[in-house]
Amino acid sequence: MILVGAKGHAKELYQVLRSEGETPDISFFDNVSEDLPRTLFGCPIIRSLKEARKELQKDGRFVLALGGVRARHELYDAFRDIGGAPTSLVSENALVGENVSLSEALNVMAFAAIYNSAQVGTGVLVNSYASIHHDSTVGAFTEVSPGARLLGRSKIGSHASIGSNATILPDVSVGDRCTVGAGAVVTTDVPEGEKVVGVPARPMKK
């Protein structure tokens, strides 16, 4: 199994795997950072897609293990193109309700909660203590940061970033490629591509 990433979030995913007794043959992947050692926790760090293709011949699974919505999508596509099988990591300590729709390549971290009838798209990161409440939808490759709360029937587009401890109120929509600042409280719909901060959330001054 390849954890696609070799920095902070990859370390957290590795911790989840180890704490839950999962001990697959793991490699990390990072072809960008120049300050990495050869190994991380005794596991090799792969530095090119050519190496990754060879590694996938042993175990075809890969797990997205990095933040950043654009990078997650780009590497998802790159690993699919070289024959990788996108794999979700859902912590045993996460709460997942009934009639929940989970797509592939997800990270659902410890103590996150996804409540009944929610829908979560491909490549989404739901970080620790984040909650996605009933009948809410989250689009592909969105990042829901630690402690963020998406309340009932909220709708989050794709490639959005919801900051730590932000709150999206019920029935509110946040468009594609939006950024919601840490601690913001979103009370009205946010159009595509907007950045909002504050309580209540307002567009950032340009």
Side-chain angles (χ1 to χ4, degrees):
M1 176 188 291
I2 298 177
L3 297 187
V4 183
K7 290 202 163 181
H9 187 56
K11 293 178 180 178
E12 294 178 359
L13 282 177
Y14 181 81
Q15 181 177 342
V16 170
L17 287 169
R18 294 287 293 175
S19 68
E20 296 177 358
E22 295 285 340
T23 55
D25 186 10
I26 290 173
S27 299
F28 295 89
F29 174 84
D30 187 316
N31 64 345
V32 177
S33 304
E34 298 179 356
D35 59 344
L36 294 173
R38 290 179 175 270
T39 63
L40 182 60
F41 305 119
C43 304
I45 299 176
I46 297 168
R47 301 310 301 266
S48 71
L49 287 171
K50 183 177 180 180
E51 290 180 81
R53 188 193 298 269
K54 291 181 181 178
E55 191 68 22
L56 289 170
Q57 292 174 1
K58 304 175 192 175
D59 179 342
R61 296 174 297 167
F62 72 91
V63 176
L64 296 176
L66 70 167
V69 296
R70 181 179 296 179
R72 286 175 69 85
H73 195 170
E74 289 175 353
L75 286 166
Y76 169 87
D77 287 343
F79 271 75
R80 285 288 302 270
D81 288 347
I82 61 173
T87 302
S88 293
L89 191 155
V90 179
S91 170
E92 292 177 357
N93 291 316
L95 172 65
V96 179
E98 297 183 15
N99 200 32
V100 168
S101 174
L102 299 179
S103 296
E104 64 184 13
L106 304 178
N107 303 155
V108 182
M109 303 299 285
F111 310 112
I114 303 174
Y115 289 98
N116 292 344
S117 303
Q119 300 179 48
V120 182
T122 299
V124 168
L125 165 54
V126 185
N127 222 318
S128 298
Y129 295 99
S131 55
I132 299 171
H133 289 253
H134 68 91
D135 301 291
S136 293
T137 61
V138 181
F141 301 102
T142 281
E143 180 175 358
V144 184
S145 297
R149 295 170 295 278
L150 315 183
L151 301 185
R153 300 176 305 279
S154 57
K155 294 179 173 59
I156 313 299
S158 63
H159 300 86
S161 179
I162 310 300
S164 296
N165 297 312
T167 300
I168 314 299
L169 293 190
D171 299 303
V172 170
S173 295
V174 175
D176 296 345
R177 300 186 307 281
C178 286
T179 299
V180 176
V185 177
V186 182
T187 61
T188 59
D189 292 353
V190 180
E192 181 176 323
E194 191 74 83
K195 296 181 180 180
V196 297
V197 295
V199 181
R202 295 285 185 267
M204 289 183 64
K205 295 181 179 179
K206 298 179 180 180

